[in-house]
């Protein structure tokens, strides 16, 4: 899928799947030095035919005619177009935008009340209106490059195909539609000519529309123009309209982008629309793109093995001996949503764990989430206790959580539901810990919303952001009515409370809601961001996602099935993960130097959670992922991200390791709308991107100068020591 | 000095606004002739200039002492707890007196001695030369000339001495036009766009009552229009909201209705029908329309444009509401946003920006000259003209250029800084955050185009401090004439400076000079 608007020209005469990204000239100079370049053209070194995915049929490809040749391979390096369209240099950098540069302009008055710190949306409109279109930017240069670029990797067929297309002397947009048997019948019309594409910020482009098993591709088949590649799984909803025989399909993506395709011919239009609809709502996970995607980059490190629970545990085990790894859930029998390996108090044996599991919702017995090395306090998480109306108790459960307390100490239980909701849950067999049975624990109720309330909030917010009526009052009241920032505030407040219990009160905590798979995870993971410097690094944050979201059993498949545009009401969708990312962004904005990653990293995670070529976010829990054999059949997101070329785009240039606990402000005055996500397609971020890039350059230059200074100082010291003895005699 | 009874109070607590659990610092409070100074136990100093104090409040006595809350014009709020009520009362009374001076001579600028000699001080006053600035724009030229009509402030007291007008506008025309315009503020050049040969001009509202014409004024507008060889038409931008005009209209109509009624009684014309009354009313209203804004029939090739920027009173209460919302602790998100919305502050900011964008577009896209006015032509007109020029000309986005812009469109053209900032103890209804709004609009632009500006937020904040501080002569007084008198009054001892920060504090490092 094109994460952020395709800008690459995909093919010309000689290269089959060479995607030439067009950069604006200003940004080219850096891209040429891109070290990943050598991976970019694998067939140049050794032409390999990658294994074809199962079910892919090689056959006669549609060969659209007539594109002038001569801008092919040689254009690649010159035009500074790394193979990953937009992956490096200009695109990558221009993608990098964020509030973090703002510290330069904000040397004082960081939180001055004078300037309302929240950004009214009309700023955007002003900005756009103020600037006449910049012809120099090149036609259709998108504001940011798509982060999901490996998705565009296409299957190379054979060298014969290369020659044949060359012999014909036509530069042919030539690709292999990954149309296996499964998809062939769904694609009623694989190709339509003269389709006009409208999308944010760019002039309309006319071209050929192709549907493949997983992508919607629009190519203008001309030099210097870019293409659109859209992963079907990124499509949230589509609308059709007809004016005469001209049909219009409006595609609304899960990343909140809206594009429009004008398709001549009513039948074609209907066919395309129904094909897209069918392909974007495939039932079977195994038909999803990750199972067909073959990476063209060199895998330095297999992401599936990057963050093993054993390794993570070692980080704690050096500091404490009170905890152990338990393999009680090896067959996923005790708790289907837990990973095979969990961390539990050493004094509790597996048999007790089995008993506790029957007392907790979904078998989610209390496990270790975080160990605070500073004072040995811990965060545990679980499902709700199944005390029911008759106040059932479980001695093993009490023993388990009491085992984590130091003598004479009290702990806190943070219930992410209000007391009312928790009491109502008893009627359904759930409940909360009774004071009588847990005398050493104090229970605090916080109210974090779930499910459809969050989903509706997201829908309202995105609708407000897409509303182009320029009226300040309307915008503010819509923003308010969406309640999105209220949810952010609630989650952050609860996370701060948890962190406060650990760091300030010196008390251990247990966090749970109902299932312990949504708000619980938001709170435990945010508390760790606040408390632990490691989770503010890139690898640490990845480990946190792996541990607290993927292994802890957040049902990504259910929650991220639909996004803000879907009309069909389904019960399980909720932007829980997006809210978490938004909260992280709020903290990042308040502490711009304490995070190793930047805003783009969070945006990238958001996109991949909803639609991806990687298998990381597939499935609802570890047990499902095991059954799907994701490790064998798909590529991990971390394998791609953790390569130096990608990491450079996600690294925050302002990062300085900060070993302290960071306490974010949760006052509504301090919370802002995450423009990088919600206004991304409504206003161009070009000027902010350029400013960010400039800031990166300044910081790099500064580092170079620092290094020079150090060398000179050393030389001076050497000269002085050499000169010293000579002078003395 | 006579107002100061207690100069030093020990064991005073300063509450930390940013801590959640009401932490405080203990230290000593000193009261000097110009500042309130608090030194805490770590020797950290907190200085508050008396002129910065917007309000002082003495709260009810508590067990720990007597709380004293000081609100500053730079929106800072300081919360002291003075152990003895007597001390607190003394300080309270002194501050009340010191923060509201009655005479210009008592302002800080008259006593401030920045340790510079006469030549340095003179340099400060000559740093910004507006004649130089007009030369940079390309005037005088074949279409525009310097007029000496106002050399002795004879035509308009609130305008500067040097004014640029169309070459074909003769002195009688200028004089005639100035009589037609409120406070004599006739249309003059504010900014000339050299490439487009279009101009931004400014004036005040026409004053004509029921005789809705002034031929000289019409001639002057024609002259402005003709001074632009590229475009036939020009815009007249009335920055006031139309609904205000409407309510003015309505009062006119009411008067008209009474007149019609009376006249019908006088003529004892019983047969006067409802429709007749309406016809007469409309005619009357049309004539009445001559006041307030120009009658379109009398001005050819002129397009009228209304942009709704509210008046100073609305802006003042809007800021008040905004500060209340921003200062409240423990708000819910919804309360905050509904408070923000009902304050209307951002709506007003957007209105100013919209007007400036319209102005910039008229010049860039349509090549048309624009005449901007509001009521008196020194508040909203200054906002729109200066912001429009800032959008058009990158020079104004440099440090020097921004100072020139303020000097030109605000100081020289008579924005009433002393009244709007409440430098002296005067009419509170004249106080309004007009200039603050301008700075905020610029700030919004710096956020959207970070590389387009040579300065950063600190620069804007610093200027905002100094419009209230009365430390330098720049912003003293209400117009150039008054400022010259003040300078004489001080024996030219006032120094002039807009910024008292080292350059590295306010320079935008990521500037891209091409923007």
């Amino acid at each position: 899928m094109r994460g952020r608007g395709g800008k690459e020209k995909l093919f010309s005469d000689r290269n089959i799947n060479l995607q030439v990204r067009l950069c604006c000239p200003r940004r080219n100079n850096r891209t040429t030095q891109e070290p990943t370049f050598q991976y970019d053209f694998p067939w140049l070194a050794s032409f390999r035919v990658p294994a074809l995915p199962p079910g892919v049929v090689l056959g006669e490809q549609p060969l659209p005619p007539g594109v002038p040749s001569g801008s092919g391979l040689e254009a690649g390096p010159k035009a500074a177009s790394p193979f990953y369209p937009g992956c490096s240099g200009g695109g990558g950098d221009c993608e990098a935008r964020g509030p973090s540069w703002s510290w330069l302009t904000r040397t004082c008055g960081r939180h001055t009340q004078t300037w309302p710190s929240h950004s009214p949306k009309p700023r955007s409109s002003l900005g756009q209106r103020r600037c006449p279109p910049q012809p120099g930017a090149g036609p259709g240069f998108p504001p940011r490059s798509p982060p999901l670029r490996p998705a565009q990797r296409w299957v190379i067929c054979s060298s014969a195909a290369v020659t044949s297309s060359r012999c014909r002397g036509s530069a042919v947009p030539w690709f292999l539609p990954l149309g296996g048997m499964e998809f062939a019948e769904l694609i009623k019309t694989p190709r339509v000519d003269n389709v006009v594409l409208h999308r944010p910020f760019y002039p309309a482009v006319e071209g050929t529309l192709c549907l493949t098993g997983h992508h919607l591709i629009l190519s203008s088949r001309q030099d210097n123009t870019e293409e659109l590649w859209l992963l079907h799984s990124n499509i949230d909803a589509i609308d059709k309209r007809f004016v005469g025989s001209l049909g219009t399909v409006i595609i609304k993506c899960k990343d909140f982008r809206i594009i429009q395709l004008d398709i001549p011919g009513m039948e074609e239009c209907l066919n395309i629309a129904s094909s897209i609809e069918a392909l974007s709502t495939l039932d079977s996970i195994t038909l999803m793109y990750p199972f067909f995607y073959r990476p063209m980059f060199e895998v330095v490190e297999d992401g599936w093995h990057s963050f093993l629970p054993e390794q993570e545990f070692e980080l704690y085990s050096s500091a404490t001996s009170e905890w152990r790894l338990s393999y009680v859930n090896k067959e996923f029998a005790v708790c289907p949503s837990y990973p095979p390996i969990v961390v539990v108090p050493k004094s509790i044996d597996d048999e007790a764990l089995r008993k506790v599991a029957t007392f907790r919702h979904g078998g989610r017995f209390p496990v270790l989430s975080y160990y605070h090395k500073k004072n040995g306090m811990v965060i545990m998480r679980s499902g709700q206790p199944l005390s029911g109306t008759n106040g059932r108790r479980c001695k093993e459960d009490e023993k388990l959580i009491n085992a984590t307390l130091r003598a004479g100490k009290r702990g806190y239980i943070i219930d992410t539901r209000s007391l009312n909701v928790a009491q109502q849950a008893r009627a359904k067999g759930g409940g909360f810990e009774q004071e009588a049975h847990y005398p050493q624990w104090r229970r605090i109720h916080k109210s974090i919303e779930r499910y459809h309330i969050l989903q509706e909030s997201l829908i309202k917010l995105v609708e407000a952001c897409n509303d182009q009526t320029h009226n300040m009052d309307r915008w503010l009241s819509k923003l308010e009515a969406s309640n999105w920032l209220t949810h952010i505030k609630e989650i952050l407040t609860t996370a701060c409370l948890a962190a406060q219990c650990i760091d300030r009160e010196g008390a251990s905590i247990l966090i749970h809601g109902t299932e312990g798979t949504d708000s619980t995870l938001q709170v435990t993971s945010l508390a760790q961001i606040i408390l632990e410097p490691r989770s503010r690094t890139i690898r640490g944050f990845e480990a946190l996602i792996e541990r607290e979201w993927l292994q802890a059993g957040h049902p990504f498949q259910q929650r991220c099935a639909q996004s803000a545009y879907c009309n069909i009401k389904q019960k399980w969708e909720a932007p829980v993960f997006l809210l978490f990312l938004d909260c992280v962004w709020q903290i990042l904005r308040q502490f711009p130097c304490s995070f190793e990653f930047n805003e783009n990293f969070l945006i990238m995670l958001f996109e991949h959670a909803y639609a991806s070529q990687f298998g990381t976010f597939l499935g609802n829990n570890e047990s499902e992922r095991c059954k799907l054999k994701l490790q064998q059949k798909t590529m991990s997101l971390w394998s791609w991200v953790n390569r130096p070329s990608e990491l450079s785009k996600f690294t925050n240039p302002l990062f300085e390791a900060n070993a302290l606990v960071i306490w974010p402000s949760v006052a509504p005055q301090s919370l802002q709308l995450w423009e990088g996500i919600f206004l991304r397609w409504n206003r161009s971020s070009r000027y902010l991107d350029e400013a960010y890039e400039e800031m990166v350059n300044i910081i790099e230059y500064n580092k170079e100068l620092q290094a020079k200074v150090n060398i000179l100082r050393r030389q001076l010291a050497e000269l002085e020591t050499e000169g010293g003895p000579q002078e003395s005699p | 000095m006579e107002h100061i009874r207690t100069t030093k109070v020990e064991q005073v607590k300063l509450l930390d606004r940013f801590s959640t659990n009401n932490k405080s610092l203990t230290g000593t409070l000193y009261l000097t002739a110009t500042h309130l100074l608090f030194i805490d136990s770590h020797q950290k100093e907190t200085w508050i200039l008396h002129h910065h104090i917007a309000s002082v409040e003495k709260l009810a006595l508590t067990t720990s002492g007597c709380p004293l809350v000081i609100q500053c014009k730079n929106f800072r709020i300081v919360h002291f707890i003075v152990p003895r009520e007597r001390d607190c009362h003394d300080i309270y009374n002194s501050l009340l007196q010191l923060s509201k001076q009655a005479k210009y001579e008592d302002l800080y600028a008259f006593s401030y001695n920045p340790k510079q000699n006469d030549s340095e001080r003179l340099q400060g006053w000559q740093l910004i030369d507006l004649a130089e600035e007009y030369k940079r724009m390309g005037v005088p030229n074949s279409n525009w000339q310097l007029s000496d009509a106002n050399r002795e402030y004879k035509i308009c007291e609130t305008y500067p001495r040097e004014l640029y007008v169309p070459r074909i506008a003769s002195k009688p025309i200028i004089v005639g036009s100035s009589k037609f315009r409120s406070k004599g503020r006739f249309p003059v050049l504010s900014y000339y766009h050299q490439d487009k040969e279009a101009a931004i001009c400014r004036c005040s509202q026409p004053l004509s009552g029921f005789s809705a014409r002034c031929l000289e004024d019409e001639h002057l507008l024609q002259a402005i229009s003709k001074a632009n060889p590229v475009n036939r038409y020009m815009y007249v931008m009335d920055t006031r909201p139309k609904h205000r005009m409407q309510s003015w209209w309505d009062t006119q109509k009411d008067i008209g209705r009474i007149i019609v009624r009376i006249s019908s009684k006088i003529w004892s014309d019983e047969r006067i029908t409802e429709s007749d009354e309406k016809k007469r009313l409309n005619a009357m209203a049309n004539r009445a329309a001559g006041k307030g804004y120009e009658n379109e029939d009398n001005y050819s090739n002129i397009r009228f444009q209304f942009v709704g920027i509210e008046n100073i009173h609305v802006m003042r209460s809007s800021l008040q509401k905004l500060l209340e919302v921003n200062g409240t602790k423990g708000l819910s998100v919804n309360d905050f946003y509904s408070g923000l919305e009902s304050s209307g502050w951002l709506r007003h900011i957007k209105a100013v920006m919209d007007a400036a964008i319209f102005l910039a577009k008229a010049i860039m896209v349509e090549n048309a000259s624009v005449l901007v006015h509001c009521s008196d032509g020194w508040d909203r007109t200054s906002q729109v003209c200066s912001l429009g020029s800032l959008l058009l000309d990158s020079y104004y986005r440099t440090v020097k250029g921004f100072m020139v812009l303020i000097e030109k469109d605000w100081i020289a053209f008579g924005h009433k800084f002393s009244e709007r900032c409440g430098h002296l103890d005067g009419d509170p209804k004249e106080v309004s955050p007009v200039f603050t709004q301008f700075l905020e609009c610029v700030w919004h632009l710096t956020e959207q185009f970070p590389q387009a500006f040579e300065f950063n937020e600190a620069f804007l904040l610093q200027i905002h401090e100094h419009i209230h501080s009365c430390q330098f002569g720049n912003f003293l007084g209400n117009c150039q004439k008054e400022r010259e008198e003040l300078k004489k009054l001080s024996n030219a001892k006032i120094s002039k400076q807009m910024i008292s920060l080292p350059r590295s504090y306010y320079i935008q490092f990521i500037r891209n000079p091409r923007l």
Side-chain angles (χ1 to χ4, degrees), chain A residues 23-277:
Chain A
C23 293
C24 70
R26 185 168 130 57
R27 298 175 176 184
N28 281 348
N29 38 9
R30 293 188 63 231
T31 53
T32 38
Q33 304 148 10
E34 195 49 50
T36 58
F37 187 69
Q38 52 192 325
Y39 309 133
D40 289 343
F41 305 92
W43 63 87
L44 292 181
S46 58
F47 196 93
R48 279 178 288 137
V49 180
L52 286 174
V56 170
V57 181
L58 274 176
E60 262 304 304
Q61 304 307 322
L63 298 176
V67 172
S69 56
S71 66
L73 216 50
E74 71 277 9
K78 253 188 251 154
S81 47
F83 189 82
Y84 313 104
C87 76
S88 56
D93 291 327
C94 73
E95 173 188 333
R97 60 167 298 283
S100 38
W101 51 265
S102 65
W103 69 281
L104 280 172
T105 60
R106 292 189 180 190
T107 46
C108 66
R110 182 82 189 81
H111 290 289
T112 323
Q113 309 279 323
T114 325
W115 320 106
S117 58
H118 110 285
S119 50
K121 181 186 163 205
R123 287 167 49 172
S124 55
S125 59
L126 293 172
Q128 277 168 31
R129 282 204 273 157
R130 177 213 171 293
C131 314
Q134 303 286 331
F141 186 75
R144 288 169 219 162
S145 66
L148 302 188
R149 48 206 64 87
Q152 293 97 44
R153 289 330 194 76
W154 221 230
V155 176
I156 299 177
C157 293
S158 69
S159 49
V162 183
T163 6
S164 75
S165 76
R166 275 177 76 186
C167 291
R168 290 182 198 188
S170 58
V172 177
W174 195 94
F175 42 78
L176 174 64
L178 277 173
M181 287 307 184
E182 301 90 332
F183 307 118
E185 55 210 52
L186 295 177
I187 304 172
K188 290 177 186 158
T189 306
R191 188 178 138 215
V192 187
D193 287 326
N194 304 323
V195 173
V196 180
L197 164 72
H198 305 267
R199 66 194 146 148
F201 315 127
Y202 299 100
V205 178
E206 191 184 322
T208 301
L209 177 76
C210 290
L211 284 188
T212 74
H214 294 108
H215 284 91
L216 179 152
I217 304 153
L218 191 120
S219 159
S220 65
R221 292 186 288 114
Q222 275 164 14
D223 284 340
N224 302 340
T225 43
E226 71 296 339
E227 289 174 349
L228 173 84
W229 286 68
L230 190 69
L231 208 57
H232 290 316
S233 55
N234 190 14
I235 297 173
D236 201 28
I238 60 168
D239 287 343
K240 318 181 267 278
R241 274 206 313 255
F242 289 97
V243 181
S245 68
L246 182 77
T248 295
V249 177
I250 294 163
I251 298 177
K252 300 176 177 175
C253 302
K254 288 178 186 167
D255 58 6
F256 311 137
R257 177 173 35 162
I258 295 178
I259 58 171
Q260 182 187 328
L261 297 170
D262 294 341
I263 300 168
M266 188 182 276
E267 199 194 330
E268 281 88 352
C269 183
L270 284 173
N271 281 347
I272 292 285
S274 68
S275 305
I276 294 173
E277 216 152 345

Side-chain angles (χ1 to χ4, degrees), chain A residues 105 113-114 123 127 473 669, chain B residues 75 326 347 448 457 508:
Chain A
T105 60
Q113 309 279 323
T114 325
R123 287 167 49 172
D473 289 356
Q669 288 94 329
Chain B
F75 312 127
N326 270 348
R347 190 177 66 227
Q448 286 179 31
E457 190 182 25
Q508 176 63 279

Side-chain angles (χ1 to χ4, degrees), chain A residues 398-458:
Chain A
E398 291 156 29
K399 198 177 152 214
L400 193 160
I401 70 166
N402 285 339
T404 64
L405 291 178
R406 303 266 163 86
K409 279 275 193 180
R410 275 161 66 98
Y412 290 88
I413 294 172
I414 296 179
D415 194 324
T416 61
R417 305 163 293 179
S418 67
L419 182 60
N420 249 342
V421 176
Q423 274 166 344
Q424 281 161 14
R426 282 197 298 197
K428 291 178 198 153
F432 50 86
E433 293 83 356
Q434 305 282 346
E435 285 88 350
H437 303 154
Y438 299 85
Q440 285 166 286
W441 294 83
R442 230 190 98 195
R443 209 177 60 243
I444 303 171
H445 287 277
K446 283 281 174 185
S447 166
I448 298 179
E449 298 293 351
R450 300 187 316 149
Y451 300 143
H452 66 278
I453 295 180
L454 299 183
Q455 189 68 13
E456 275 160 24
S457 172
L458 177 70

Side-chain angles (χ1 to χ4, degrees), chain B residues 297-314:
Chain B
D297 302 340
N298 299 334
Y299 296 88
S300 53
N301 292 333
I302 288 180
R303 297 183 182 182
F304 289 88
Q305 175 73 27
F306 286 86
V307 292
I309 306 176
E310 298 286 351
N311 63 31
I312 57 167
H313 311 294
V314 177

